Each structure stands twice: as C-alpha cells, then as structure tokens.
Amino acid sequence: MRRWGLGVSILAAALLFVQAPAMPAEAADVQVPEDIFQWVQSTARQNYYFNKQQIKYAVDADGYIDLHTLIVPTLCTYDDVQVQDVVAKRRWKKLSMKGYDRLIGEANYLKFNLKAHTVQILEHDDLDNTFSTITKDTDYQPVQYDVLSEKDVDGKFYRAIERYANTHRDEILANTMTTGAKLRPADQKALAKAKK
C-alpha cells in the first residue's frame, strides 16, 4: 500500500497569488507538515496543496530533462461533508467501502504540458487517515487548463502550479537532477541566456 504521508516526501508548494483566505480553511482536521506541504488555496470543502520537494521535470528514455513537461504530486484534504459525499457516491455506485470509514482526502500525480497548457492526472489515490492509499485510479484525459474560468477551482490550482514552476525553475531542475537526469546542450544554452 502506498503511503503519501509523513514518511514519504510529497506535496508542498508556495502560497501563490490566488484569491483565497489567508490560511487553510477548516476543510479537514488533518495535520499537514509545513516543511513538506504548503497550502495553495481552499474551498468550503477542501484544502489544496502541492509538493515543492517532489515537483520535477519529466525525463525522457535517454535521461534528458524535458523542460516543457512537469510532474507534480498534489494533495487535497476534505472536511466531514466532503468525506460523507464521497462515501455516499461510492455506496450509490456499489463500489467497495473498505477503508472509507477513515477517508481524509485525495492525492494526485499531475503531468503538465507547459507548452500546450494541459494537465493530466496520471494517478488519483483516495487517502485514509494514515495517508495510505485506499483506492487508485489512472484513467484520466488531459484538461486544457488555460481555458478554464477564472472562478474554476481546478483551473486556479493548475495555473498557480504553473506560476510556481515559472518562478522556481532552478529548484525544480535541482530536484530533477537528483535522479541523474541531465539537460540537453541546447537547453543549457537557452537557460544561461535567459539568466543574463
């Protein structure tokens, strides 16, 4: 069973320029370590986070970094009403209820195409109160996030992650290079030129 929590670094980011309360809403009474997790925005039912320690560029089969593709683990914690809603929908669909008495939220691995402004959920996990996966889904189509309404919660979240990536390129490169990945010479030159 995958653990998304304290022992496994996931999901944090910078508070970005979104219209939201000054601190996380009471969307869930879940302790989220601030050194790993950083709140981005809240709705009445969920708090949204992403992981600045694990955000990375994709790496191709030859070990080269793709500066146009971003892999981002994210986390949403739920309040009691959202938990009840998820549980009720699963019951209605006659899906397994095993572990859902301890549901606290969801984790997603997102793949961003920064050129096309699309995002795809590579994996969605429902999480229990130990940050372990209850169920996993992987069948999602890409979404064009730059055409989503300014009021669309997911659109705000995706655009916030993109802004973070644009202003923290060096950190994301460092995260990616810990895997042994390398930049193509043309990308090295372009980045050096952009810094001048």
Side-chain angles (χ1 to χ4, degrees):
M1 192 181 300
R2 174 180 287 166
R3 288 187 46 89
W4 286 87
L6 306 176
V8 179
S9 288
I10 56 160
L11 315 173
L15 172 61
L16 301 171
F17 310 96
V18 292
Q19 302 262 333
M23 58 184 354
E26 292 184 28
D29 188 20
V30 178
Q31 294 297 326
V32 180
E34 292 180 13
D35 60 329
I36 298 170
F37 299 82
Q38 177 64 48
W39 170 72
V40 173
Q41 66 179 4
S42 293
T43 67
R45 300 288 172 244
Q46 299 180 54
N47 288 314
Y48 289 75
Y49 305 82
F50 74 89
N51 185 334
K52 68 181 177 184
Q53 293 180 6
Q54 293 296 314
I55 184 172
K56 293 180 176 148
Y57 292 108
V59 178
D60 69 18
D62 296 321
Y64 287 105
I65 296 170
D66 178 356
L67 294 174
H68 302 294
T69 305
L70 203 60
I71 307 298
V72 187
T74 66
L75 171 72
C76 288
T77 57
Y78 298 162
D79 77 341
D80 289 339
V81 174
Q82 181 71 12
V83 167
Q84 291 168 14
D85 185 50
V86 170
V87 168
K89 285 178 181 170
R90 289 189 67 82
R91 232 180 241 125
W92 182 75
K93 294 177 181 178
K94 298 186 181 345
L95 298 171
S96 170
M97 300 304 297
K98 185 177 180 183
Y100 279 84
D101 56 329
R102 300 184 314 279
L103 178 69
I104 57 98
E106 67 183 60
N108 294 301
Y109 275 107
L110 304 180
K111 179 181 179 181
F112 283 79
N113 181 325
L114 299 172
K115 266 187 168 176
H117 302 285
T118 61
V119 62
Q120 181 179 11
I121 298 173
L122 298 176
E123 181 180 321
H124 167 94
D125 294 356
D126 286 339
L127 302 177
D128 69 14
N129 58 354
T130 68
F131 287 87
S132 295
T133 300
I134 304 171
T135 58
K136 174 173 73 170
D137 292 311
T138 56
D139 189 22
Y140 295 91
Q141 294 300 310
V143 172
Q144 188 84 35
Y145 61 85
D146 64 340
V147 300
L148 296 175
S149 160
E150 288 299 317
K151 294 183 179 180
D152 183 276
V153 174
D154 289 333
K156 283 183 180 181
F157 188 47
Y158 301 148
R159 287 187 289 268
I161 292 171
E162 180 184 50
R163 285 194 301 272
Y164 179 88
N166 289 338
T167 58
H168 292 81
R169 180 171 276 166
D170 289 345
E171 294 165 37
I172 298 169
L173 270 173
N175 289 346
T176 309
M177 288 179 170
T178 62
T179 65
K182 53 195 178 288
L183 280 169
R184 292 186 183 279
D187 289 334
Q188 284 180 331
K189 286 180 184 176
L191 289 174
K193 186 176 180 181
K195 286 182 180 180
K196 288 182 180 178

